[in-house]
Amino acid sequence: MGSDYWTRRLTRRRVLRGTALGVIGLGLAACSTPAAGPTPAAPSTPAGGAAPTRVAGSPTPAARQPKRGGALKSMATFNWRTQDPHLTGGPAAGVGGMLAYSQLLTYKWGADIKPPAYIVTPDLAESWSQTDETTYVFKIRPNVKFHNIAPVNGRTLDAEDIKVSFERIIDKRAYAANLAGVTKIEAPDKTTLRLTLDRPNADLLSNLASPYMVILPKELADRDLTEGPTIGTGAWIQEAYEPGQRWAGRRN
């Protein structure tokens, strides 16, 4: 997936959620703000009181462009009991490790979205369809890469990773309610995921957009992830975590 897509993954919703849970400092190390210079003098007003006007077509000062890349550091009071994102008290409890992951669906965000809108939009899914009242089919985005960390080593995500992650969520039970009523999870090919329900469920898509429904690589499905590793497809790659002290990551 292109870098522009993943840059947008650090949403205001995620940062605000982390702040409410105890984050007390957030800095972008590579995006420093220059020291403030002297305040420019106000433009003088010519005799007669008429305000100065800008000549039509004259250039305006160029806006500063944001600088891509760098590091994200969070000084926070969160103290995860585990780094397993599918367990209560895992990185879902703070702004840190969850930024390393993606979901099948997410909530739409942007300047034109007024909370609490909770409009469901694709994330790892490219699109979805409902073939009948109890069957949903999701097409998975092509060429999404996991972080280049062993044992996954940057391979391409496929539908089997999402299937295995959902089965793991059900097995771990902490967030299994989001998949209540799902009787079958299938990955008929690498780009297709099919969910079958026991009855119609109007909340299913919103449940799948929950920030706790993160997708892991299938290589980690049977592992004890108390101490990690943290490997996802998200915008940030975890580099350090000290419980109750700090979290650090670099741009994916």
Side-chain angles (χ1 to χ4, degrees), residues 36-48:
T39 304
S44 59
T45 302

Side-chain angles (χ1 to χ4, degrees), residues 33-62:
T33 302
T39 304
S44 59
T45 302
T53 58
R54 185 172 64 85
V55 178
S58 61
T60 56

Side-chain angles (χ1 to χ4, degrees), residues 5 67 73 81 84 145 178 201:
Y5 174 80
K67 183 178 179 181
K73 297 179 181 179
R81 295 192 298 272
D84 191 324
K145 305 289 186 181
N178 288 322
N201 181 359

Side-chain angles (χ1 to χ4, degrees), residues 164-250:
V164 169
S165 292
F166 284 176
E167 291 171 342
R168 189 176 192 273
I169 288 171
I170 293 172
D171 182 60
K172 297 297 182 182
R173 302 179 62 181
Y175 307 117
N178 288 322
L179 293 166
V182 174
T183 58
K184 189 181 296 185
I185 306 172
E186 301 171 282
D189 57 58
K190 290 186 175 182
T191 63
T192 305
L193 180 79
R194 183 185 299 119
L195 300 182
T196 304
L197 286 67
D198 58 1
R199 67 189 69 183
N201 181 359
D203 294 327
L204 178 68
L205 296 179
S206 183
N207 290 346
L208 296 179
S210 163
Y212 307 115
M213 300 295 288
V214 303
I215 305 305
L216 299 175
K218 49 181 170 276
E219 290 90 336
L220 303 184
D222 297 328
R223 288 199 182 190
D224 180 352
L225 300 180
T226 300
E227 302 295 333
T230 296
I231 305 174
T233 56
W236 298 91
I237 300 173
Q238 179 170 302
E239 289 195 320
Y241 169 57
E242 297 177 27
Q245 297 182 51
R246 73 184 184 104
W247 181 90
R250 61 182 170 85

